[in-house]
């Protein structure tokens, strides 16, 4: 039975990847950091099938101990301070976790067992002020946030450890991917959660920032499959994972409100608090290398994704449940 470690298992992608690896017959170990309240709500349905261990990307000793104790075949490094807006107010912390955290983990791999295959969660945010459209593996980076800058570091240190120490370390440059398990602060989930509350009469407005920015939005469940495929190849390489379609925040609003027969213009208020000091205006990825070499392609369309999220939020709000 292959054994995998997932850092960031309590997050959106971590929960989908854990489910995916369990279906592939893996022994799944998830690293969680110590918190005063338990935040395993995305994992509750599979908690008895996985092993959770304590560790933190800020503490390299904890990483070395985990690798020594569990002897993994694969590591998926999904842990990060992943909210772009917060990276302006906590730039140093973001750098410690999202940039230097990658080095701490890579170096633990080098020390404990350089045979472990390593996946780094790189991001389309690295393209920032885009140098070409669509963006592919060879497109130069121009990050526009402390988060994007930290991810560029994480990306290059992964490439560097592959080239310096011959590690099987790969970097997946994933474009935005969403789901009913997306954090409530990200724009897609913020919209679908508000649509559900407005429809049910529990909210009356939605305050947002820039409605013109365009993103390449896919479904998280499709994207974790690409992560796994990257580690199954004997020849480590980096891949862009995207749908190849781009939509504005306003398109997302139209699709989500329209689905429940409401007009978004009646509810959305633009609020400077949600504007960013520097914006990424347009992202759209070219995932043809992943298609060719990994046999990967996205399955869920933009409209299906929006509807899936609105349906899930409506059910959750109706049931009075806790957000995933
Ligand atoms: P989430 O924000 O949902 O999850 C982040 C995870 O990282 C959480 O489990 C969090 O733990 C954990 N974490 C944060 N800091 C630390 C730390 N110091 N030590 C250990 N764990 C920590 O992110 P997603 O699931 O959306 O994304 C997964 C990864 O992919 C991230 O690296 C993100 O930057 C990257 N990415 C995401 C994209 C997307 O569209 N979703 C696109 C491209 C890249 P806790 O629950 O305790 O906070
Ligand atoms: P992003 O996602 O920054 O692309 O990072 P987010 O959903 O936060 O923003 C997308 C776009 O929507 C605009 N926007 C708002 N965003 C938020 N969060 N809240 C608002 O009220 C709002 N109004 C407008 C933003 O300005 C932006 O243009 C995500 C994260 O998952 C990263 O970790 C990941 O690396 C990238 O996607 C790819």
């Amino acid at each position: 039975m292959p054994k995998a470690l997932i850092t960031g298992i309590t997050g959106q992608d971590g929960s989908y990847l854990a489910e995916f690896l369990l279906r592939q017959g893996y022994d799944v170990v998830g690293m969680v950091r110590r918190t005063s309240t338990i935040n395993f709500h995305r994992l509750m349905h599979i908690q008895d099938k996985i092993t959770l261990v304590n560790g933190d990307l800020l503490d390299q000793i904890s990483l070395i101990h985990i690798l020594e104790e569990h002897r993994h075949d694969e590591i998926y490094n999904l842990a990060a301070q992943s909210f772009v807006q917060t990276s302006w107010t906590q730039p140093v912390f973001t750098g410690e976790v999202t940039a230097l955290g990658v080095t701490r983990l890579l170096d633990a791999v080098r020390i404990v067992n350089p045979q472990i295959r390593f996946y780094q969660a790189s991001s389309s945010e690295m393209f920032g002020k885009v140098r070409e459209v669509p963006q592919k593996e060879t497109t130069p980076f121009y990050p526009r946030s402390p988060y994007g800058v930290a991810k560029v570091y994480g990306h290059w240190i992964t490439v560097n450890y592959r080239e310096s120490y011959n590690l099987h370390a790969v970097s997946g440059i994933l474009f935005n991917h969403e789901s009913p398990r997306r954090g409530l602060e990200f724009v897609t989930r913020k919209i679908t959660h508000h649509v559900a509350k407005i429809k049910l009469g529990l909210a009356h407005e939605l305050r947002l920032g820039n409605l013109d920015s365009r993103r390449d939005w896919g479904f998280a469940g499709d994207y974790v499959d690409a992560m796994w495929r990257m580690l199954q190849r004997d020849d480590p390489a980096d891949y862009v994972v995207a749908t190849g379609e781009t939509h504005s925040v306003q398109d997302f609003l139209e699709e989500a409100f329209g689905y429940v027969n409401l007009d978004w213009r009646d509810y959305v208020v633009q609020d400077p608090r949600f504007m960013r000091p520097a914006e990424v205006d347009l992202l759209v990825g070219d995932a043809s290398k992943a298609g060719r070499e990994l046999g990967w392609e996205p399955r869920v369309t933009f409209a299906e994704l929006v509807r899936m999220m609105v349906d899930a939020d409506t059910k959750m709000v109706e049931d009075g449940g806790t957000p995933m």
Side-chain angles (χ1 to χ4, degrees):
M1 197 187 234
K3 194 171 193 174
L5 174 69
I6 303 175
T7 73
I9 194 165
T10 54
Q12 169 188 257
D13 291 8
S15 65
Y16 281 107
L17 181 63
E19 282 172 4
F20 178 88
L21 294 179
L22 286 173
R23 286 199 298 276
Q24 305 290 323
Y26 276 70
D27 182 356
V28 176
V29 179
M31 187 179 90
V32 295
R33 50 184 179 161
R34 198 265 157 188
T35 46
S36 64
T37 43
I38 299 289
N39 63 348
F40 299 164
H41 51 281
R42 294 188 179 103
L43 298 171
M44 273 188 316
H45 59 298
I46 51 168
Q47 220 180 311
D48 56 343
K49 300 193 184 79
I50 59 180
T51 308
L52 296 178
V53 294
N54 279 114
D56 197 306
L57 282 189
L58 298 177
D59 183 344
Q60 196 179 12
I61 308 281
S62 70
L63 305 176
I64 291 173
H65 282 160
I66 292 170
L67 300 200
E68 278 177 340
E69 191 182 335
H70 290 276
R71 299 275 146 194
H72 305 95
D73 302 292
E74 297 172 2
I75 295 181
Y76 296 85
N77 183 34
L78 308 185
Q81 190 303 93
S82 77
F83 190 42
V84 173
Q85 182 112 35
T86 293
S87 76
W88 275 284
T89 50
Q90 299 184 30
V92 175
F93 174 73
T94 300
E96 281 290 349
V97 179
T98 305
L100 283 178
V102 188
T103 310
R104 294 191 189 94
L105 190 51
L106 278 166
D107 214 59
V109 168
R110 184 182 71 82
I111 292 165
V112 178
N113 176 11
Q115 298 308 315
I116 297 173
R117 294 186 174 197
F118 181 91
Y119 173 86
Q120 166 58 16
S122 284
S123 164
S124 51
E125 265 305 288
M126 302 189 304
F127 296 123
K129 192 171 180 180
V130 297
R131 306 284 90 188
E132 66 179 326
V133 180
Q135 297 84 51
K136 51 182 188 279
E137 291 79 5
T138 50
T139 303
F141 300 137
Y142 193 139
R144 294 271 282 173
S145 61
Y147 167 84
V149 173
K151 280 288 179 187
V152 170
Y153 175 92
H155 178 83
W156 282 117
I157 201 70
T158 302
V159 173
N160 183 262
Y161 268 57
R162 177 167 80 220
E163 294 176 355
S164 304
Y165 302 115
N166 209 20
L167 296 189
H168 190 296
V170 308
S171 176
I173 308 175
L174 271 52
F175 282 61
N176 296 54
H177 43 278
E178 320 293 314
S179 74
R181 298 184 198 168
R182 188 55 141 152
L184 288 168
E185 68 275 39
F186 298 93
V187 77
T188 55
R189 184 75 198 287
K190 186 172 170 182
I191 294 171
T192 61
H193 189 225
H194 276 79
V195 165
K197 287 197 296 185
I198 289 169
K199 185 71 189 169
L200 296 168
L202 300 172
H204 305 286
E205 67 171 24
L206 166 57
R207 304 188 83 84
L208 292 174
N210 180 9
L211 307 187
D212 296 327
S213 54
R214 303 184 71 85
R215 290 289 182 277
D216 179 331
W217 278 299
F219 172 52
D222 289 345
Y223 285 40
V224 297
D225 177 2
M227 298 176 186
W228 175 76
R229 286 173 191 246
M230 284 180 220
L231 288 198
Q232 307 320 302
R233 279 180 64 86
D234 288 332
D235 187 14
D238 308 322
Y239 295 90
V240 159
V241 177
T243 69
E245 261 185 47
T246 187
H247 295 274
S248 65
V249 173
Q250 187 173 318
D251 294 339
F252 198 103
L253 285 168
E254 260 155 30
E255 191 71 43
F257 278 86
Y259 181 45
V260 296
N261 301 315
L262 294 175
D263 185 341
W264 65 271
R265 289 173 194 81
D266 296 335
Y267 303 96
V268 172
V269 178
Q270 275 197 289
D271 187 331
R273 277 186 304 146
F274 300 108
M275 299 288 188
R276 297 178 177 183
E279 182 60 279
V280 170
D281 298 321
L282 162 75
L283 288 175
V284 56
D286 172 358
S288 50
K289 184 181 173 195
R292 243 181 0 258
E293 296 184 9
L294 305 176
W296 180 86
E297 55 182 34
R299 280 185 268 190
V300 176
T301 65
F302 176 71
E304 286 167 350
L305 174 67
V306 177
R307 288 160 186 223
M308 176 203 307
M309 292 175 70
V310 172
D311 284 340
D313 272 321
T314 304
K315 184 167 183 327
M316 188 203 73
V317 174
E318 275 171 349
D319 294 350
T322 325
M324 278 277 251

